[in-house]
Amino acid sequence: MGMTEIAFQKCINLDCGAEFDCGQAMFKCPQCGELLDIRYNWDKIKVPGKLSEFAKRWAGRDNRLDLSGVWRFRELISFCEDKYKVSIGEGQTILQQNDAVAEYVDMQPGSLHLQYEGLNPSGSFKDNGMTAAFSHAKMVGATSSACASTGNTSASVALYAHSCGVKCTVFIGSGRIAFGKLSQAMDYGAQTIQILGDFDDCMRQVQDVCTKLGLYLLNSLNPFRLEGQKTIMYRIIEGLGWDVPDWIIVPGGNLGNSSAFGKAFSELKQLGLIKRIPRMAIINATGADTLTDLVNNKKLLWNDGKIDQKIIDDYYADLTARNFSPHTCASAIEISRPVNLKKCLRAIDICNGIVRAVPDEEIVDAKAIIGKHGLGCEPASAATIAGLKQLRAENIIGADERVACVLTGHPLKDPNVTVNYHKEKQGRFSNMPIEAPNDLDAIIKLIKS
Ligand SMILES: *Cc1c(COP(=O)(O)O)cnc(C)c1O
Ligand SMILES: [Zn+2]
């Protein structure tokens, strides 16, 4: 098998460790059922000696792979030939230093940076993963694909599937999806199936459907997707002049991003491209806080890969017994059985990570602040700022440490939460529209100038 190749798949279960070449689409180890990783034989890849060498690609905007903020870093995600690579200009995102939001979380000017992944083609970070996963789908000759989604995965899958001629079916929990996202899935022409259930139900169904019908699965179980998502970290480093921050803060849903980020840093360190690994804070919503509960209260650890499975089994058995369904306005992270849990535990180990949960009221307040002083984001993304505020109050993060928050999705994804906050609910930072008679003098009196 593939040890002679550049890249191969490997089971994360250390007792199994089975390896497979990249020409297969499996998404779980066929021997033990655990998650798979993409591994590289780095000595067979010409990786630049310094990260800053990737900056040369900025000059090559007529080359579609240089234009992509994912494939610009192709040596670090080298699992397929260029001819299979699918790109629609993803990853053209920015890292913004934001002192007004810094003040809100009690940080010093210059310390807080926001990574706007909402600037991707479908409006969320998911495009970083889909460009990689669809490239693999083309490589293995897939013609039909599927995903379960809280919304953004379906929007991204629908967009990428049709840009490379693959069919797609998306499964969403009924009544749980934000309108911006549902509108995208329909507009991009995905076959959309609304299941009477929540995301976790969809996730279980889609895996069986993919196995039975041989569809290509695009959830973050798909290890190729996570390879693309590593580049969000490369771009943060790039935005900091090729330096690493002290902290990365990311919302935690299915835990694909946090898993990918940990892998990215571990590889960069191994390759000698960075000297230190930043710490990571993963933020749940309190209504969907499985990771927080397992790590902080049940003391679940990576433990060199010897994870205490009984803690997880008991926890999930209890969720089932209570008929628990997660609830948060941050629908993108409304997940109680995160599929990448074990990889995330590894990332926490790699990054000396911590986990927190924040209530919806703090999420929507933080979202209003990011909207007013930045480019805005959807609720799940704002969990990062609410989490950072909490970590500053606990003094776990210092006021002058360099922090990068990953704002995962665009503000237009979920207009209902935004309008509700500003217009109906009168939140702390609400910006109510003012009703005026159709009369010039009356209107002029209302204008604060
Ligand atoms: C998917 C998604 C998340 C959750 O990311 P995971 O990798 O599943 O933890 C967070 N925010 C937004 C906007 C998303 O679309
Ligand atoms: Zn295995």
Side-chain angles (χ1 to χ4, degrees):
M1 105 74 259
M3 287 310 291
T4 55
E5 295 166 34
I6 289 178
F8 56 99
Q9 308 189 65
K10 187 175 172 69
C11 176
I12 69 161
N13 175 356
L14 299 184
D15 290 334
C16 170
E19 294 181 0
F20 311 91
D21 64 56
C22 288
Q24 311 175 53
M26 303 176 296
F27 318 124
K28 277 194 172 175
C29 175
Q31 293 178 18
C32 75
E34 265 309 334
L35 297 166
L36 295 167
D37 252 344
I38 307 307
R39 296 288 188 90
Y40 300 98
N41 288 313
W42 292 111
D43 51 357
K44 297 204 168 68
I45 305 171
K46 271 212 197 107
V47 179
K50 283 193 304 201
L51 277 175
S52 58
E53 285 175 36
F54 285 107
K56 286 189 202 124
R57 301 252 163 89
W58 292 341
R61 294 182 68 85
D62 50 355
N63 173 337
R64 70 187 186 103
L65 296 183
D66 287 356
L67 183 71
S68 164
V70 172
W71 296 113
R72 194 159 83 223
F73 299 100
R74 49 194 172 272
E75 287 82 358
L76 300 170
I77 41 173
S78 182
F79 61 79
C80 77
E81 290 173 58
D82 285 356
K83 66 177 179 192
Y84 297 119
K85 286 176 186 156
V86 175
S87 173
I88 50 174
E90 57 288 324
Q92 314 265 5
T93 63
I94 61 164
L95 183 74
Q96 177 196 53
Q97 186 194 306
N98 194 314
D99 290 347
V101 179
E103 192 183 332
Y104 175 69
V105 296
D106 188 27
M107 292 201 70
Q108 283 173 13
S111 5
L112 179 62
H113 298 78
L114 307 177
Q115 176 69 19
Y116 286 101
E117 289 300 315
L119 299 176
N120 273 292
S122 81
S124 85
F125 80 83
K126 298 291 197 300
D127 296 350
N128 293 285
M130 291 313 163
T131 186
F134 274 100
S135 299
H136 181 250
K138 294 306 274 185
M139 176 179 160
V140 300
T143 55
S144 215
S145 66
C147 70
S149 181
T150 61
N152 281 330
T153 301
S154 63
S156 186
V157 163
L159 187 56
Y160 275 84
H162 295 133
S163 81
C164 66
V166 171
K167 291 201 184 92
C168 74
T169 304
V170 306
F171 294 79
I172 54 184
S174 65
R176 302 299 187 101
I177 186 171
F179 255 52
K181 306 174 188 183
L182 178 62
S183 68
Q184 285 178 292
M186 297 186 301
D187 203 43
Y188 298 146
Q191 179 177 23
T192 306
I193 299 186
Q194 285 195 283
I195 292 181
L196 295 171
D198 59 23
F199 174 82
D200 299 298
D201 299 320
C202 291
M203 193 65 234
R204 277 188 293 258
Q205 296 290 357
V206 78
Q207 292 185 58
D208 291 345
V209 169
C210 284
T211 309
K212 285 230 159 79
L213 301 181
L215 307 182
Y216 188 90
L217 178 66
L218 285 151
N219 282 97
S220 50
L221 274 178
N222 181 324
F224 296 95
R225 229 188 87 178
L226 299 194
E227 290 306 291
Q229 290 169 214
K230 292 189 306 191
T231 64
I232 302 168
M233 295 303 102
Y234 307 155
R235 294 198 300 273
I236 286 179
I237 291 173
E238 179 179 64
L240 294 173
W242 306 103
D243 200 1
V244 289
D246 298 309
W247 287 89
I248 296 289
I249 307 191
V250 60
N254 238 344
L255 307 177
N257 255 345
S258 45
S259 299
F261 299 170
K263 185 171 189 283
F265 289 121
S266 139
E267 289 172 351
L268 291 179
K269 183 90 193 307
Q270 186 199 338
L271 289 166
L273 292 169
I274 57 172
K275 291 204 180 61
R276 65 184 172 86
I277 291 177
R279 295 192 68 185
M280 179 157 58
I282 305 166
I283 314 297
N284 283 152
T286 46
D289 64 350
T290 295
L291 180 72
T292 310
D293 218 3
L294 284 174
V295 170
N296 294 352
N297 303 329
K298 308 277 188 267
K299 307 296 173 203
L300 188 66
L301 290 168
W302 169 245
N303 194 25
D304 286 327
K306 294 179 192 62
I307 296 168
D308 190 340
Q309 183 67 41
K310 187 167 184 306
I311 298 181
I312 304 172
D313 291 345
D314 288 352
Y315 194 84
Y316 288 170
D318 179 58
L319 291 185
T320 306
R322 289 190 287 128
N323 212 352
F324 179 84
S325 186
H327 279 286
T328 166
C329 71
S331 55
I333 52 174
E334 192 179 53
I335 294 173
S336 65
R337 291 172 171 79
V339 296
N340 288 298
L341 175 62
K342 290 184 179 172
K343 282 187 179 177
C344 176
L345 294 172
R346 182 177 64 182
I348 291 171
D349 189 67
I350 292 167
C351 298
N352 189 12
I354 54 173
V355 184
R356 288 291 181 277
V358 290
D360 280 11
E361 304 78 65
E362 286 166 30
I363 290 176
V364 288
D365 282 347
K367 186 178 115 53
I369 293 292
I370 299 162
K372 182 166 183 190
H373 300 288
L375 309 185
C377 63
E378 67 168 279
S381 317
T384 56
I385 293 298
L388 173 56
K389 198 167 193 296
Q390 187 174 318
L391 291 166
R392 277 292 304 126
E394 293 178 45
N395 215 10
I396 288 176
I397 297 183
D400 59 352
E401 288 194 88
R402 195 146 65 158
V403 175
C405 291
V406 182
L407 300 185
T408 44
H410 196 278
L412 290 177
K413 289 286 189 174
D414 196 342
N416 292 48
V417 166
T418 309
V419 171
N420 190 42
Y421 180 86
H422 288 294
K423 202 165 171 230
E424 314 296 339
K425 269 231 177 104
Q426 283 296 294
R428 250 174 97 195
F429 307 107
S430 285
N431 181 22
M432 275 279 279
I434 305 163
E435 279 186 28
N438 189 12
D439 172 82
L440 182 61
D441 288 338
I443 291 170
I444 284 175
K445 272 198 203 114
L446 287 170
I447 292 177
K448 292 179 243 147
S449 59

